[in-house]
Amino acid sequence: MTRPAQTSIEKALAVLGAFDGPYLGRGLTELVRDLGIPRPTLHRILKQLADGGFIRQLPSKRYQIGLRLFELGSRVSDQVQLRIPAIPHLHSLYHRTDCAVYLSVWAGDEVLHLDYLPSRHEPALPARAGGRWTAHCASVGKVLLAHASADVVERYLSQPLRAATRKTITNCDEFLAHMQQVRGQGYATTIEESLIGVYGLAAPIRDRHGEVVAAICIAGRNRALLKRRGDVIETANAISYDISTRAAGAPAPASLS
């Protein structure tokens, strides 16, 4: 169980974290309920965050994330900056395959989607740019874990592998063998391991030193997409090439370690 926020900073961070979801806005009463912070204290924190531009209050009196967080977020690490060379390739893959397309990196013990293009022909998947996903049941997560350091993998496997569906790999030995297969073949697939009826295919993106810094994938409800590994690998290699040939002096994205 997560320890309740105690210090002022912990409480402010908890308030910001409460907006991490598909919310059009959040009201004071529901925030009090979800966070367990006394109403007067929470109201004071919300006012201070609003004064700083980190959240904003709507005419309805509900709250949303503010533009100040967007400004700061746009300056975050080189892992996010790799979106710039990746964007044209993401759109090319999107139009060639008619699938949802993800660009993802490792964040803590989860996958973070830097970009997401929803399919034009299928209902949207429960994902968004800036959203997170469980690594071991996602094709991008498998790619990133397969190329992670031994310490990262050991830490990840120190906790039980939660089953998202009945097809999720939850046995550590089986998962490690699967990671070896992913490294050998150069791509990863998920077959209803994350969501029933949804398939994924991912390949690694490397920096100029050959380190895997991200993964790209296509996903959707048509199993035939699993045959498009050539398109996905080609796209990943093209992004890797553009990253490697950026202007001299530009720092490479941080590797997964």
Side-chain angles (χ1 to χ4, degrees):
M1 181 178 295
T2 304
R3 180 175 64 87
Q6 296 180 347
T7 68
S8 297
I9 292 177
E10 287 176 333
K11 290 174 182 175
L13 291 174
V15 171
L16 291 175
F19 290 89
D20 184 12
Y23 305 113
L24 296 178
R26 305 213 69 187
L28 181 61
T29 299
E30 63 185 284
L31 289 170
V32 169
R33 180 199 64 208
D34 291 350
L35 297 173
I37 298 175
R39 180 179 289 262
T41 301
L42 182 57
H43 188 269
R44 183 175 67 253
I45 293 171
L46 288 168
K47 184 179 185 307
Q48 292 172 336
L49 291 173
D51 288 345
F54 295 98
I55 63 171
R56 68 189 185 103
Q57 190 173 30
L58 303 172
S60 64
K61 303 302 182 183
R62 295 174 69 81
Y63 295 90
Q64 283 185 340
I65 289 292
L67 287 176
R68 183 58 179 150
L69 283 178
F70 171 77
E71 293 178 76
L72 294 174
S74 67
R75 304 176 67 87
V76 79
S77 75
D78 293 324
Q79 285 185 304
V80 173
Q81 295 304 315
L82 67 81
R83 287 184 66 248
I84 297 171
I87 284 174
H89 301 290
L90 298 179
H91 283 270
S92 175
L93 181 63
Y94 174 70
H95 288 291
R96 293 202 313 271
T97 63
D98 285 331
C99 294
V101 176
Y102 298 84
L103 173 67
S104 308
V105 295
W106 188 255
D109 285 333
E110 296 176 300
V111 168
L112 174 66
H113 301 313
L114 297 184
D115 218 331
Y116 166 59
L117 302 175
S119 170
R120 294 167 292 175
H121 306 297
E122 294 183 351
L125 298 174
R128 61 181 175 85
R132 292 172 177 257
W133 205 258
T134 304
H136 63 275
C137 57
S139 58
V140 285
K142 290 181 180 181
V143 165
L144 295 171
L145 278 170
H147 295 88
S149 68
D151 289 345
V152 169
V153 176
E154 182 179 359
R155 184 175 69 247
Y156 190 86
L157 296 181
S158 66
Q159 301 294 324
L161 296 177
R162 180 179 59 83
T165 76
R166 64 181 183 275
K167 297 189 177 183
T168 305
I169 299 175
T170 57
N171 178 276
C172 288
D173 291 337
E174 183 181 352
F175 188 74
L176 286 170
H178 189 56
M179 292 301 92
Q180 185 175 358
Q181 178 185 351
V182 169
R183 284 192 297 274
Q185 66 191 16
Y187 65 92
T189 62
T190 49
I191 301 174
E192 300 185 301
E193 297 163 52
S194 185
L195 294 165
I196 292 296
V198 174
Y199 306 87
L201 174 63
I205 295 171
R206 301 176 184 272
D207 66 10
R208 65 178 181 268
H209 304 296
E211 298 290 336
V212 173
V213 294
I216 188 173
C217 92
I218 57 174
R221 294 173 171 83
N222 187 346
R223 188 186 179 105
L225 70 83
L226 298 176
K227 299 178 181 178
R228 305 298 296 263
R229 58 181 177 272
D231 289 300
V232 176
I233 293 172
E234 178 185 345
T235 300
N237 289 342
I239 296 172
S240 299
Y241 177 82
D242 282 359
I243 290 172
S244 300
T245 56
R246 286 186 305 170
S255 63
L256 179 64
S257 59

